[in-house]
Amino acid sequence: MKIGYPCINETLDCSSSRTFRLASYSEERLIQTVEQNLSCLRRILEFNVENDLRFFRLTSGLVPFASHPINTYNWQEHFKLTLRRLGDYIKRHNLRISMHPDQFVVLNSPNPQTVQNSIAELVYQGSILDLMGLDTTAKLQIHGGGAYGDKETALNRFAEVYHTQLPDAVKARLCVENDDRTYSLTDCLVLHELTGMPIIFDNLHHECVNNGEPMREAVMLAAQTWQPERDGILMVDYSAQSPGERKGKHVQSIGEQAFHDFLVETEGIDMDIMLEIKDKEASAHKAVAVAKELGRI
């Protein structure tokens, strides 16, 4: 089991998602910003290795405007060596890596332009993982999208886009996550049947939207969609409900007893856990300690 956190390290004095306004775009600005972002990413990865945090979600913002038409610069060639060195470091230290495009990535949108923009973003993010030389256990994580008043049609539209428009390199990395409003685990299982995509399981989202499956059963159903040789082991997003906030809002800091109970409930199911908790690595340290006490790490 590997445990980690997404995108931002609050201990370090740098960001791997620095950007600038579209109106001030220039190739010089782009190169300078990406250099800073990749330098910070290296520091974050080194911090994670030192602290036994072996799962990390890369920010979508490593390359500003990467999927925007304004960016015609061949940043892939420019940063090829740097990205490969980062990938070598990741592989040498046996880290698990993922990326999670923003909510505007909606493959089942009825709007063709939205779909094309979504595909461009997935191609960009997949190319980061490809340039790092990471195998297909490094995943791209998206949500099912909207229901648009007819969920069955929306599910089929997703599958059609998947099969007819997505490059194979993207399909090899793509996963779908159960969400907290529209697409339950059961809906994601339908998408899995239609596409073969593995399901990233989100425990908090399952508590928000489900079809009555107990937590252990739900995790096992998701785990069965992963092919170990191609996909690695199940990825789980773990969080808890923030008290007094809207349903599905993530807690500020991990509840160690609740996390302990989740690990006990899922004993025997192999998984890597991404903590979607606001204080990032602070909670990840606590979670690793709990997992070590239980012998899961």
Side-chain angles (χ1 to χ4, degrees):
M1 175 183 286
K2 297 179 174 70
I3 293 175
Y5 61 99
C7 304
I8 297 167
N9 182 297
E10 296 188 332
T11 303
L12 300 175
D13 60 350
C14 71
S15 168
S16 61
S17 57
R18 289 172 62 112
T19 189
F20 48 87
R21 292 186 304 109
L22 183 62
S24 61
Y25 180 90
S26 69
E27 289 185 356
E28 182 181 4
R29 191 88 179 260
L30 175 74
I31 292 167
Q32 179 185 50
T33 304
V34 177
E35 283 175 349
Q36 292 171 333
N37 287 346
L38 296 181
S39 175
C40 181
L41 176 57
R42 177 67 182 228
R43 291 180 61 195
I44 293 172
L45 295 173
E46 290 171 349
F47 175 98
N48 292 348
V49 168
E50 289 168 8
N51 290 277
D52 206 17
L53 305 176
R54 301 282 168 171
F55 191 12
F56 188 65
R57 181 186 297 164
L58 306 183
T59 174
S60 301
L62 282 173
V63 182
F65 308 109
S67 62
H68 193 285
I70 197 172
N71 186 350
T72 59
Y73 183 69
N74 190 353
W75 57 265
Q76 297 93 333
E77 184 63 32
H78 187 108
F79 292 103
K80 182 172 163 182
L81 183 58
T82 304
L83 288 165
R84 179 51 63 99
R85 285 172 174 162
L86 285 165
D88 289 346
Y89 185 85
I90 287 164
K91 290 183 284 188
R92 188 161 64 247
H93 293 283
N94 194 26
L95 304 179
R96 187 90 183 262
I97 297 296
S98 65
M99 297 186 78
H100 191 347
D102 294 333
Q103 300 284 49
F104 69 81
V105 171
V106 184
L107 290 180
N108 69 353
S109 172
N111 184 330
Q113 188 59 55
T114 298
V115 173
Q116 289 309 307
N117 293 345
S118 299
I119 292 171
E121 183 66 17
L122 289 171
V123 168
Y124 148 58
Q125 296 198 27
S127 71
I128 290 285
L129 303 175
D130 293 342
L131 287 164
M132 287 181 169
L134 303 182
D135 64 24
T136 54
T137 64
K139 292 298 186 186
L140 296 173
Q141 169 180 353
I142 62 172
H143 293 174
Y148 304 103
D150 184 345
K151 190 182 285 184
E152 183 179 357
T153 298
L155 287 164
N156 287 325
R157 190 163 55 241
F158 186 113
E160 183 180 0
V161 169
Y162 179 94
H163 288 296
T164 64
Q165 297 190 54
L166 286 183
D168 288 342
V170 170
K171 289 193 282 190
R173 298 192 184 277
L174 203 62
C175 301
V176 64
E177 170 197 353
N178 59 306
D179 65 62
D180 59 344
R181 296 184 181 180
T182 307
Y183 284 87
S184 67
L185 173 65
T186 299
D187 297 320
C188 291
L189 286 166
V190 173
L191 278 176
H192 169 70
E193 289 298 318
L194 291 170
T195 65
M197 281 187 305
I199 298 168
I200 289 184
F201 182 76
D202 188 303
N203 74 303
L204 177 59
H205 292 172
H206 184 68
E207 291 171 7
C208 294
V209 179
N210 61 69
N211 294 85
E213 308 94 338
M215 188 64 72
R216 180 177 177 84
E217 178 187 327
V219 175
M220 289 183 70
L221 285 168
Q224 289 165 10
T225 66
W226 292 69
Q227 298 181 28
E229 289 295 315
R230 180 193 70 183
D231 304 317
I233 64 171
L234 169 70
M235 289 181 174
V236 168
D237 283 353
Y238 177 87
S239 192
Q241 176 64 46
S242 182
E245 301 282 357
R246 65 159 176 82
K247 186 170 75 168
K249 185 157 186 179
H250 297 159
V251 73
Q252 175 66 33
S253 184
I254 196 168
E256 289 162 274
Q257 186 60 50
F259 184 66
H260 173 280
D261 294 346
F262 177 78
L263 293 186
V264 169
E265 190 170 11
T266 56
E267 177 66 37
I269 305 173
D270 208 4
M271 67 180 80
D272 291 332
I273 299 179
M274 176 62 59
L275 300 175
E276 291 196 322
I277 294 174
K278 291 184 180 178
D279 64 1
K280 305 290 183 180
E281 72 277 7
S283 281
H285 290 307
K286 297 174 184 176
V288 166
V290 171
K292 285 182 175 179
E293 282 179 19
L294 289 170
R296 297 291 294 271
I297 293 180

